[in-house]
Amino acid sequence: MKKTDVLIIGGGPAGIIAATTAKHTYPDKDVLLIRKEKEVLIPCGIPYIFGTLENSDQDVIPDTILSKDGVHLEIDEVISVNRKDKIARTVNGIDISFEKLVFATGSISYVPQWLKGTELENVFTVKKNREYLDEVKVKLQHCKRIVVIGGGFIGVEISDELNKIGKDVTIVEVLPHILCLAMDREIAIEAEKVIRARGVKLKTGIGAKEISGNGNVTGVLLENGEKVMCDMVILAIGYRPNSSLAKEAKLRIGYKGAIWVDEYMRTDDPDIFAVGDCVEKKCFVTRKLINVMLASTAASEARIAGENLYKLGVVKTFSGTIAIFSTVIGDTGFGSAGLTEEQAKKEGFDIVVGTSDSIDKHPGILSGAHKQKVKLVVAKKSGVILGGYVMGGISTGELINIIGMAIQNRMTVNSFLSLQIGTHPLLTASPMTYPIIKTAESLTWKVELGFRKEERQCQNGMKKGGISNE
Amino acid sequence: MKKTDVLIIGGGPAGIIAATTAKHTYPDKDVLLIRKEKEVLIPCGIPYIFGTLENSDQDVIPDTILSKDGVHLEIDEVISVNRKDKIARTVNGIDISFEKLVFATGSISYVPQWLKGTELENVFTVKKNREYLDEVKVKLQHCKRIVVIGGGFIGVEISDELNKIGKDVTIVEVLPHILCLAMDREIAIEAEKVIRARGVKLKTGIGAKEISGNGNVTGVLLENGEKVMCDMVILAIGYRPNSSLAKEAKLRIGYKGAIWVDEYMRTDDPDIFAVGDCVEKKCFVTRKLINVMLASTAASEARIAGENLYKLGVVKTFSGTIAIFSTVIGDTGFGSAGLTEEQAKKEGFDIVVGTSDSIDKHPGILSGAHKQKVKLVVAKKSGVILGGYVMGGISTGELINIIGMAIQNRMTVNSFLSLQIGTHPLLTASPMTYPIIKTAESLTWKVELGFRKEERQCQNGMKKGGISNE
């Protein structure tokens, strides 16, 4: 029988941060992280194993991130949790007693039942498993034509990487556009232009019906009867919460098979917490349950769990998921935070939207300058920012975080009018065209339209022909 | 007699934004911007005229920024303002009547009285005047050795540009380090390392006593008797508010000769507003009057003035200046927001500080990845963020804006623990090492130290040898 105070199951970002935060917060407690993988990959780096990085070795998270903070590590697999006696049993037959347990068991790549032919040779998913991905890389050497089923972030990033190393790549996406679960339609269309110009073929608005082949895959049959020939298929249709262990331990399971947690990241057992992809998510804006899996969200949840293990910190709760995505195609960055215009309308929000165009350096003639486009989705009555996107250069990743922060702080477009920002010719747009402020500014007229119109009419003695800002 | 509703004096960023905001907010009003310069330069782009840009032409703000929004433009110079009759008279003898007036008269480069030899040939300041700067560029062709007096942002940026085009450049800075009015000491030292490695010579902690020469400049004599030989001197010692017109109009003049304004950017005449470098600034954190001139701050003030001209918007006031600076030396970005550690201590704040190191892509092995360093200065009792800096790559400009937003929203380090951010391998640090969150996290232990220590002692039955987080 081994003994620890805090046991973390799972070695991805959520597990690591839960463990190190626990150790920081309760330095006298023993913290043990147990995981089955010999090595853990940086999950968002996985697509880049196929082109930009030389090999998967370069995408490994060093275990020193745990050891330097005094977290113990075991490579083993927990197969059952005895909640009554607070003991976890591993596949190697070791029993580990704990005071507090954290599930950080992550997610499993999804293979749809309705899709025929997924068992064929050279059909792969995007598993977060180094050996598996290394095998895909070996097989890739003999493949020329690849179909990627699923045009979300992972599918798009892998396609761009495979294209970069000379493969003939086709993305099959059943929705009208790639990336369109996260991005507004018009920006998804821009992303399509960029990736098409780089040589990736797109089949959008049409689903895959069957993967065909005889032993080896030979093609993908689409719903319209068209067949895309290929010698490898990558399924990038998403992930499902890995909650089987929690389920067997009779913990409450919530939306789409994810582990239910409260705002302190506690399961229905007060000594058991859960964080990351395996956990149910609630949208920050709509307050509805959603299906978003992001390392950055997981990190935030893990910090809260680590803090609250032994004593609840009240102010440190998780108040809902704001999906903040970013990606790069070629040299163009795409970022998205909160609700898209379409999502907001679907949810019944009374909104106004605005966009602005700028350049990420000033003057825009500077070498390396990249066009920027920003959109904000804003509640019409209150001016509160509900969502937005950024398309631009390398600073897109941090610009979308500024919009993310605005959403989290429930900032209004009015507050952006007096927002102070720093600008520099080589680093940002000019102070006169700084895109988030310009966009917010254009929206203040819309948000307050009723008031303004009336006021103007009074000033002008109800004269006709006033300019409408709608 | 000409007639306008709103008259803006000055054509820099503050004037432009005041004019366009006024026109947006009050579309039925005539807005006239009057300025003496035929063309206006992007002020922060000026240093880059000397190297990165081909010529000053590329740094001109296009007048379409005014015309497209329906703002009228006159090239002329206002020489007096008759407040009683609301008439401005120009140097060309034209009288312009107005309802509302906005001073955006900017600042004038400072030439110290105590410094001998400033009248010599080839001694220049950094005027925001295209013809003048073009003349400097012509003269530069025949100069090899240049002394830049003043190691603030402008001095450092110009020095780096002149070095880039092959000049032998020496910065003379009387303070112990370059950039040290805006930056913490340790980061100023890093900036010195970077600029020295690029070939710029530094004389810090020593003032210039005299510019020597006979007709033409031949050198700069330092306080310690050392003489730095040169054939050009650039004075980059700062700017003074251009408030003479306002003074003559008997408006209230405040700190260091700047125009006094309230939080709506009104002068003591309710129909006259003032914005930008010509206006008195109050520090957002210390509430003291300060001497900071930034285009981004001016932009924020100008938006507020433009909004409030005819009707006060109450919520849209300017609640003090947060100096947010950023610059680049070579490929290293430096950003600073709010108080430095030294300033905070000097002001008597009870603070804790923390730093963290990360890499701006993940995995860090990705090509083009740059080290990042973040520091936060935080109020010990409340955890409120008072200031911070970023050193890093190209995303430094937006990362420092995230810290700036945190200061403006009076966010605490605790709120950063649950802050959600988006991360991407090619755009940001990893979710596990995202530098602002990591820094904030390291400070939560310090902020709550008293509580934690006690709590731990209770848990451990007052056992000895608990780890101190101090």
Side-chain angles (χ1 to χ4, degrees):
Chain A
M1 170 86 79
K2 285 187 85 151
K3 198 178 169 321
T4 186
D5 299 317
V6 179
L7 177 63
I8 317 274
I9 308 177
I16 292 169
I17 295 177
T20 54
T21 307
K23 192 65 192 173
H24 280 148
T25 315
Y26 309 101
D28 299 324
K29 296 291 182 184
D30 271 329
V31 179
L32 171 65
L33 186 147
I34 190 163
R35 69 171 196 236
K36 59 182 183 213
E37 302 84 2
K38 226 182 107 207
E39 290 163 311
V40 173
L41 296 174
I42 302 175
C44 12
I46 287 174
Y48 301 98
I49 292 175
F50 294 102
T52 304
L53 295 173
E54 278 167 34
N55 53 55
S56 60
D57 222 24
Q58 298 182 323
D59 195 45
V60 169
I61 302 176
D63 287 336
T64 48
I65 201 167
L66 297 169
S67 56
K68 76 175 171 46
D69 282 344
V71 173
H72 303 292
L73 171 67
E74 287 282 347
I75 312 296
D76 201 343
E77 184 179 353
V78 174
I79 51 163
S80 70
V81 173
N82 172 345
R83 284 168 53 191
K84 198 173 134 274
D85 302 323
K86 293 195 173 181
I87 289 169
R89 173 163 292 177
T90 78
V91 74
N92 294 328
I94 296 168
D95 283 348
I96 307 168
S97 80
F98 59 82
E99 289 175 359
K100 304 284 178 180
L101 177 68
V102 180
F103 280 95
T105 44
S107 55
I108 299 165
S109 51
Y110 175 56
V111 181
Q113 296 291 321
W114 46 261
L115 184 62
K116 284 186 207 157
T118 55
E119 75 295 345
L120 289 168
E121 278 290 313
N122 281 357
V123 177
F124 295 100
T125 58
V126 190
K127 284 191 189 169
K128 289 169 274 187
N129 176 309
R130 191 177 166 199
E131 289 73 29
Y132 181 88
L133 294 168
D134 283 347
E135 191 199 326
V136 178
K137 271 198 94 166
V138 171
K139 292 283 174 66
L140 262 175
Q141 293 168 5
H142 311 287
C143 295
K144 176 72 193 132
R145 292 171 303 180
I146 297 152
V147 171
V148 175
I149 302 181
F153 281 92
I154 301 289
V156 165
E157 289 170 355
I158 284 194
S159 298
D160 195 41
E161 289 287 295
L162 294 176
N163 175 65
K164 210 191 246 180
I165 56 167
K167 305 300 179 187
D168 176 335
V169 185
T170 304
I171 297 177
V172 175
E173 170 58 62
V174 66
L175 296 170
H177 300 285
I178 63 169
L179 300 176
C180 75
L181 284 180
M183 295 267 188
D184 282 89
R185 188 188 144 87
E186 69 268 24
I187 208 74
I189 291 170
E190 290 301 318
E192 286 177 351
K193 280 185 202 159
V194 177
I195 200 164
R196 267 211 187 94
R198 290 170 63 77
V200 174
K201 294 167 195 158
L202 302 180
K203 303 274 179 192
T204 55
I206 183 138
K209 193 176 171 187
E210 184 180 329
I211 302 172
S212 44
N214 188 357
N216 263 312
V217 63
T218 56
V220 174
L221 183 67
L222 305 184
E223 281 167 343
N224 65 353
E226 189 188 347
K227 190 169 173 184
V228 185
M229 305 303 289
C230 67
D231 21 55
M232 184 183 278
V233 168
I234 293 176
L235 297 172
I237 318 183
Y239 296 81
R240 294 291 177 268
N242 182 16
S243 55
S244 51
L245 192 61
K247 208 170 180 175
E248 281 159 27
K250 302 250 180 310
L251 290 169
R252 180 173 164 194
I253 300 297
Y255 185 66
K256 296 210 173 176
I259 305 171
W260 179 91
V261 286
D262 65 15
E263 295 198 1
Y264 299 93
M265 307 314 295
R266 290 182 299 187
T267 66
D268 56 336
D269 181 329
D271 290 322
I272 303 184
F273 291 64
V275 293
D277 286 2
C278 62
V279 157
E280 186 182 274
K281 316 280 179 207
K282 185 183 272 178
C283 174
F284 184 87
V285 182
T286 66
R287 313 312 293 166
K288 281 188 178 173
L289 298 174
I290 49 167
N291 187 18
V292 166
M293 293 179 185
L294 285 166
S296 49
T297 304
S300 179
E301 294 171 353
R303 283 191 187 92
I304 288 158
E307 278 271 307
N308 287 301
L309 283 174
Y310 284 90
K311 211 150 196 173
L312 299 187
V314 188
V315 291
K316 281 162 238 150
T317 63
F318 191 75
S319 48
T321 298
I322 302 172
I324 309 177
F325 297 98
S326 53
T327 191
V328 188
I329 308 172
D331 68 346
T332 305
F334 295 87
S336 156
L339 297 189
T340 65
E341 179 178 356
E342 205 179 315
Q343 285 163 352
K345 284 182 174 161
K346 216 163 146 187
E347 293 291 335
F349 284 93
D350 186 13
I351 55 160
V352 286
V353 301
T355 61
S356 75
D357 293 284
S358 53
I359 298 175
D360 67 354
K361 297 180 193 251
H362 62 285
I365 205 166
L366 280 163
S367 94
H370 200 292
K371 281 187 189 173
Q372 292 180 315
K373 191 178 186 77
V374 163
K375 177 174 181 171
L376 292 177
V377 177
V378 167
K380 192 172 182 177
K381 293 278 158 60
S382 62
V384 168
I385 295 167
L386 305 176
Y389 69 66
V390 177
M391 177 171 74
I394 212 77
S395 60
T396 298
E398 300 301 355
L399 259 182
I400 197 65
N401 282 334
I402 292 179
I403 297 181
M405 259 182 89
I407 299 171
Q408 276 159 96
N409 283 308
R410 292 187 170 82
M411 286 175 72
T412 66
V413 287
N414 279 333
S415 65
F416 267 89
L417 291 187
S418 55
L419 187 75
Q420 297 174 61
I421 40 103
T423 57
H424 186 273
L426 307 179
L427 300 175
T428 70
S430 99
M432 288 173 296
T433 61
Y434 191 77
I436 303 178
I437 295 179
K438 283 301 282 185
T439 311
E441 199 184 10
S442 76
L443 284 169
T444 57
W445 331 126
K446 293 189 181 175
V447 168
E448 301 178 336
L449 186 64
F451 163 73
R452 276 161 193 278
K453 219 177 207 161
E454 213 173 280
E455 178 196 357
R456 259 200 331 274
Q457 282 168 346
C458 289
Q459 282 168 7
N460 300 316
M462 303 302 282
K463 86 174 180 195
K464 295 223 173 166
I467 298 159
S468 164
N469 292 297
E470 186 77 83
Chain B
M1 170 85 78
K2 284 188 84 150
K3 197 178 169 321
T4 186
D5 299 317
V6 179
L7 178 64
I8 317 273
I9 308 177
I16 292 168
I17 295 177
T20 54
T21 307
K23 190 67 191 172
H24 281 149
T25 315
Y26 310 101
D28 299 324
K29 297 291 182 185
D30 271 329
V31 178
L32 171 64
L33 185 148
I34 191 163
R35 69 170 196 236
K36 59 182 184 218
E37 302 84 3
K38 227 182 106 207
E39 290 163 310
V40 173
L41 296 175
I42 302 175
C44 14
I46 287 174
Y48 301 97
I49 293 175
F50 295 101
T52 304
L53 295 172
E54 278 167 34
N55 52 56
S56 61
D57 222 22
Q58 298 182 323
D59 195 46
V60 169
I61 301 176
D63 287 336
T64 48
I65 202 167
L66 297 169
S67 56
K68 76 176 171 46
D69 282 343
V71 173
H72 303 294
L73 171 67
E74 288 283 347
I75 311 295
D76 201 343
E77 184 178 354
V78 174
I79 51 164
S80 69
V81 173
N82 172 345
R83 283 168 54 190
K84 197 174 135 272
D85 302 323
K86 293 193 173 182
I87 288 170
R89 173 160 292 178
T90 78
V91 74
N92 294 329
I94 297 167
D95 282 348
I96 307 169
S97 80
F98 59 83
E99 290 175 357
K100 302 285 177 181
L101 177 68
V102 181
F103 279 95
T105 44
S107 55
I108 299 165
S109 50
Y110 175 57
V111 181
Q113 297 292 322
W114 47 261
L115 184 63
K116 285 188 204 153
T118 55
E119 75 294 345
L120 290 167
E121 278 290 312
N122 280 359
V123 177
F124 295 100
T125 58
V126 190
K127 284 192 188 169
K128 289 170 273 186
N129 176 308
R130 190 178 167 196
E131 288 73 26
Y132 181 88
L133 294 169
D134 283 348
E135 190 198 329
V136 178
K137 270 199 93 164
V138 170
K139 292 283 172 65
L140 261 176
Q141 291 168 6
H142 311 288
C143 296
K144 176 71 192 130
R145 290 171 303 179
I146 297 152
V147 171
V148 175
I149 301 181
F153 281 93
I154 302 291
V156 165
E157 289 170 355
I158 284 193
S159 299
D160 196 41
E161 289 288 298
L162 295 176
N163 175 63
K164 210 190 246 178
I165 56 167
K167 305 299 179 189
D168 176 335
V169 185
T170 304
I171 298 177
V172 175
E173 169 58 62
V174 68
L175 295 171
H177 300 285
I178 62 169
L179 301 175
C180 74
L181 284 180
M183 295 267 188
D184 282 88
R185 187 187 145 85
E186 70 268 24
I187 208 73
I189 291 171
E190 289 300 318
E192 287 177 350
K193 279 185 203 162
V194 178
I195 201 164
R196 267 209 186 98
R198 289 170 64 78
V200 174
K201 294 168 197 157
L202 303 181
K203 303 271 179 195
T204 54
I206 184 139
K209 193 177 170 185
E210 185 181 329
I211 302 172
S212 44
N214 187 357
N216 263 312
V217 63
T218 56
V220 174
L221 182 67
L222 306 185
E223 281 168 347
N224 64 354
E226 190 188 345
K227 189 168 173 184
V228 185
M229 305 302 290
C230 67
D231 21 56
M232 183 182 280
V233 169
I234 294 176
L235 297 171
I237 318 185
Y239 296 82
R240 293 292 176 268
N242 182 16
S243 55
S244 51
L245 194 62
K247 208 169 178 174
E248 282 159 28
K250 303 249 182 305
L251 290 169
R252 180 174 164 194
I253 300 297
Y255 185 66
K256 295 208 173 180
I259 305 170
W260 179 90
V261 287
D262 66 13
E263 295 199 2
Y264 299 95
M265 308 313 296
R266 291 182 299 187
T267 66
D268 55 334
D269 181 328
D271 290 324
I272 303 183
F273 290 64
V275 292
D277 285 1
C278 62
V279 157
E280 187 181 272
K281 316 280 180 209
K282 184 182 274 178
C283 174
F284 184 86
V285 182
T286 65
R287 313 312 293 165
K288 282 188 178 173
L289 299 173
I290 50 166
N291 186 20
V292 165
M293 293 179 184
L294 285 167
S296 49
T297 303
S300 179
E301 293 172 354
R303 283 191 186 91
I304 289 159
E307 278 270 306
N308 287 303
L309 283 174
Y310 284 90
K311 209 150 198 172
L312 298 188
V314 188
V315 291
K316 279 163 240 150
T317 62
F318 190 74
S319 47
T321 298
I322 303 173
I324 309 178
F325 297 99
S326 53
T327 192
V328 187
I329 309 172
D331 68 345
T332 305
F334 295 87
S336 157
L339 298 189
T340 65
E341 181 179 354
E342 206 180 317
Q343 286 163 353
K345 283 182 176 162
K346 215 163 146 186
E347 293 290 337
F349 284 93
D350 185 14
I351 55 161
V352 286
V353 301
T355 61
S356 76
D357 294 283
S358 53
I359 298 177
D360 69 352
K361 298 183 192 246
H362 62 286
I365 204 165
L366 281 162
S367 92
H370 199 293
K371 279 186 190 175
Q372 293 179 313
K373 192 178 186 74
V374 163
K375 177 173 180 172
L376 292 176
V377 177
V378 167
K380 193 172 180 179
K381 294 275 160 60
S382 63
V384 168
I385 295 167
L386 305 176
Y389 69 66
V390 176
M391 177 172 74
I394 211 77
S395 61
T396 298
E398 301 301 356
L399 259 182
I400 197 65
N401 283 334
I402 292 180
I403 296 181
M405 260 183 87
I407 298 171
Q408 277 160 96
N409 283 306
R410 293 188 169 81
M411 286 173 73
T412 66
V413 287
N414 279 332
S415 65
F416 268 89
L417 291 188
S418 55
L419 187 76
Q420 296 175 63
I421 41 102
T423 57
H424 186 272
L426 307 179
L427 300 176
T428 69
S430 100
M432 288 173 295
T433 61
Y434 191 78
I436 303 178
I437 295 179
K438 281 302 280 185
T439 311
E441 200 184 9
S442 76
L443 284 169
T444 57
W445 330 126
K446 294 189 183 175
V447 166
E448 302 179 337
L449 187 64
F451 164 72
R452 275 160 194 281
K453 220 176 208 164
E454 213 173 281
E455 181 194 355
R456 253 194 342 270
Q457 282 167 345
C458 289
Q459 280 167 11
N460 301 315
M462 302 302 281
K463 84 174 180 194
K464 297 224 171 167
I467 298 160
S468 165
N469 291 297
E470 186 74 83

